[in-house]
Amino acid sequence: MIALRAPTTLIDRLPAVRGRLSADVALAPVTWFRVGGPAEAMFKPADAQDLADFLAARPRDVAVRVIGVASNLLVRDGGVPGVVIRLGRAFTGVEVVGETLVCGASALDATVAKVAEGAGLAGLEFLSGIPGTLGGALRMNAGAHRREMADIVVSATAVDGLGQSHILTPAQMGFSYRACALPEDWIFTGCVLAGRPEERGAIAARMEALRQAREASQPLRARTGGSTFANPDPELSAGRRAWELIDAAGCRGLRLGGAQVSEKHCNFLINTGEATAADLEALGETVRRRVMDTSGVALRWEIKRIGIGLDGLSAGENG
């Protein structure tokens, strides 16, 4: 009798690691939208060296994608082929060194702002309102209230797709509005951020004011992914921000399946409870078409869309 050989899985093809490798990992429970299919494989590295060794040894045809707390992410319903990387506890440190903070890439933005407040370091308050990790904030040059990561980054560390480690200056990162110029397969592992000394009470007061403003204007308790579209170039939009263009196009409260444009802030999409990723993405594209028809402005997705649909196809991720 000829013994049947079990089919080779993706996990079988991946190098040995000190961290954790798992197959067919559900992603919907970790995304803020609570939608999407599974990761074909997930890797949680033990530390930066484990991550570098894995990237150096992985088969070149295996795609990798890093995610944080998935606050600004839409995972399509068919899931994510290849390996999804999530940085864990080894990357969450935040240490005050003089007038800087040395941080791991999976430290929460809000945690960094709170540590800075406790140390009497101002200038990082805006991070308290950005729902994600520093790795994502670096990748998209996250910002709020006229401040952004480019204003506070002293340096960053990253591992490229071949497992080589790099220490980067802000100039090398190529920051622009809600973007940086590094290749998509580079993974941030940490950064150094600059603050300026100030009385703690004044810092705390500004953070509280920001919190109250968010509570009043954003659907914080809904299943959402934060700002859906980046604000367009003011010269192209006559100074109107994304939400103003969406409102003027009559999209406030617009529904498609279980997805809805927020009544409270119309640059937020909401999963009302039964939405699929396809519902949310199709609603976003409907909003983009209506804004183009009424204003001539092409909105750019700020939410990252990854993976494949149930039809096995993926639309553009950056349109």
Side-chain angles (χ1 to χ4, degrees):
M1 178 180 292
I2 299 175
L4 296 178
R5 180 178 297 176
T8 301
T9 67
L10 175 59
I11 291 286
D12 295 330
R13 299 182 57 213
L14 298 177
V17 298
R18 290 182 288 109
R20 183 176 179 182
L21 268 172
S22 307
D24 195 31
V25 177
L27 293 176
V30 305
T31 71
W32 284 37
F33 275 125
R34 295 293 190 268
V35 299
E40 186 176 5
M42 180 176 284
F43 173 42
K44 295 183 178 181
D47 50 36
Q49 189 60 56
D50 194 28
L51 172 63
D53 292 343
F54 173 83
L55 292 173
R58 70 179 169 94
R60 293 298 102 189
D61 64 326
V62 174
V64 296
R65 164 77 68 168
V66 65
I67 66 172
V69 293
S71 57
N72 198 234
L73 185 72
L74 181 61
V75 177
R76 295 188 176 101
D77 298 306
V80 183
V83 180
V84 170
I85 296 173
R86 293 196 78 191
L87 306 184
R89 187 173 301 175
F91 301 86
T92 59
V94 181
E95 181 184 1
V96 177
V97 180
E99 296 179 7
T100 67
L101 287 86
V102 180
C103 311
S106 61
L108 294 174
D109 300 327
T111 298
V112 175
K114 194 66 178 175
V115 172
E117 176 205 334
L121 292 176
L124 293 88
E125 296 92 324
F126 75 97
L127 288 174
S128 66
I130 298 176
T133 62
L134 281 182
L138 290 165
R139 171 58 64 181
M140 66 177 294
N141 190 22
H145 307 288
R146 298 183 175 84
R147 296 278 288 172
E148 58 187 10
M149 291 298 291
D151 298 322
I152 61 174
V153 172
V154 176
S155 65
T157 53
V159 180
D160 67 28
L162 298 177
Q164 295 295 311
S165 298
H166 303 265
I167 299 175
L168 304 160
T169 65
Q172 290 172 316
M173 295 170 69
F175 284 125
S176 59
Y177 178 67
R178 299 297 175 265
C180 79
L182 291 187
E184 284 292 329
D185 63 350
W186 286 42
I187 298 174
F188 289 107
T189 55
C191 62
V192 179
L193 306 177
R196 63 178 188 278
E198 191 174 340
E199 195 271 322
R200 288 177 56 186
I203 300 171
R206 286 196 295 271
M207 287 177 61
E208 175 59 18
L210 293 177
R211 185 194 66 77
Q212 292 182 15
R214 289 195 309 278
E215 285 277 352
S217 64
Q218 298 178 11
L220 299 181
R221 292 171 179 79
R223 294 181 178 182
T224 184
S227 294
T228 306
F229 303 106
N231 287 321
D233 184 330
E235 293 186 2
L236 300 178
S237 65
R240 291 174 293 175
R241 291 168 290 180
W243 77 264
E244 293 172 298
L245 294 168
I246 295 167
D247 207 14
C251 296
R252 186 182 294 269
L254 185 67
R255 289 177 176 262
L256 194 160
Q260 181 183 14
V261 176
S262 170
E263 294 272 8
K264 194 171 188 179
H265 191 312
C266 53
N267 196 21
F268 284 62
L269 298 182
I270 292 172
N271 174 5
T272 63
E274 300 298 329
T276 63
D279 289 340
L280 289 158
E281 188 165 14
L283 179 58
E285 288 299 321
T286 298
V287 169
R288 293 183 73 228
R289 284 194 298 272
R290 291 196 179 187
V291 169
M292 173 60 79
D293 290 343
T294 57
S295 69
V297 176
L299 291 179
R300 176 173 63 85
W301 283 86
E302 186 170 318
I303 286 174
K304 292 291 185 182
R305 296 162 293 148
I306 65 172
I308 58 175
L310 291 177
D311 57 4
L313 302 175
S314 63
E317 295 184 9
N318 301 307

